[in-house]
Amino acid sequence: MTGDDGRAGRGRDRDAEGRARNARPRDGLGRPLPYGSEGVARQPEGVVRRPGESLREAQRLLDAGMPFHAHEVFEDAWKSGPGDERELWQGLAQLAVGLTHAARGNATGGARLLLRGAGRVAGHAEAGGAVYGVDVAGLVEWAGELAGRVERGAAGGAAPPDAAAEAPRLTGTGTPG
């Protein structure tokens, strides 16, 4: 049953099977907006893609300033892919969420997730895992540089970084652009 405000049920949003779902619209950084607001289209859940498709879709979303949505693509990849690739996809998801938090103004959480994600991606590559053309060294450098800049900027009262301007290149070179 859906109420006048677009919410299913009486307290929490639920899907047809009764699982909790948040139907609130979201902005480009994944922040909930008031019911009835026009938000950014959400990523469908549970999409199985080939690794290259996941990287291309995530790059498109990063370039559009939507790292929260890119994280959802990486989450699908780690849930549907082989277990020995879990660290790669989780690390990439953490990089996207780190950028999300930094752009939302959460400097401490953003920096921690950027560094944690870089460590996972690097650890996976060092262990000989498949990286599908991901520029591991470039992403590690990008994450460390951005994490430091975000922490220094927050301490100095600087505005949060712009997610689109700071989006990394997943393949080729890890620098924005």
Side-chain angles (χ1 to χ4, degrees):
M1 179 172 114
T2 303
D4 292 337
D5 62 0
R7 295 172 61 165
R10 289 170 43 155
R12 298 178 66 190
D13 300 323
R14 303 270 176 190
D15 65 14
E17 287 79 40
R19 291 185 302 260
R21 297 282 187 233
N22 190 336
R24 283 179 71 177
R26 304 248 174 192
D27 71 6
L29 291 174
R31 292 176 289 217
L33 299 170
Y35 286 100
S37 298
E38 186 171 330
V40 173
R42 298 186 71 161
Q43 284 298 112
E45 292 183 38
V47 176
V48 178
R49 299 175 180 91
R50 291 190 303 268
E53 292 171 321
S54 292
L55 290 167
R56 282 188 296 279
E57 179 63 6
Q59 187 69 65
R60 181 187 73 76
L61 293 164
L62 288 167
D63 292 345
M66 297 170 39
F68 177 82
H69 298 78
H71 140 268
E72 292 177 334
V73 171
F74 292 134
E75 189 173 287
D76 283 341
W78 100 53
K79 289 179 178 179
S80 66
D84 62 346
E85 294 180 7
R86 184 178 177 116
E87 287 293 304
L88 171 67
W89 299 111
Q90 282 185 331
L92 291 170
Q94 286 176 324
L95 290 173
V97 171
L99 178 55
T100 300
H101 280 282
R104 288 177 176 176
N106 177 1
T108 301
R112 285 183 183 156
L113 283 163
L114 286 165
L115 297 175
R116 189 178 307 146
R120 276 199 158 157
V121 171
H124 176 78
E126 289 167 5
V131 294
Y132 303 107
V134 170
D135 178 15
V136 174
L139 284 176
V140 169
E141 181 180 339
W142 167 82
E145 190 277 328
L146 182 58
R149 195 160 29 93
V150 164
E151 287 182 321
R152 287 189 304 277
D162 177 89
E166 297 293 345
R169 297 300 313 160
L170 299 172
T171 59
T173 175
T175 58

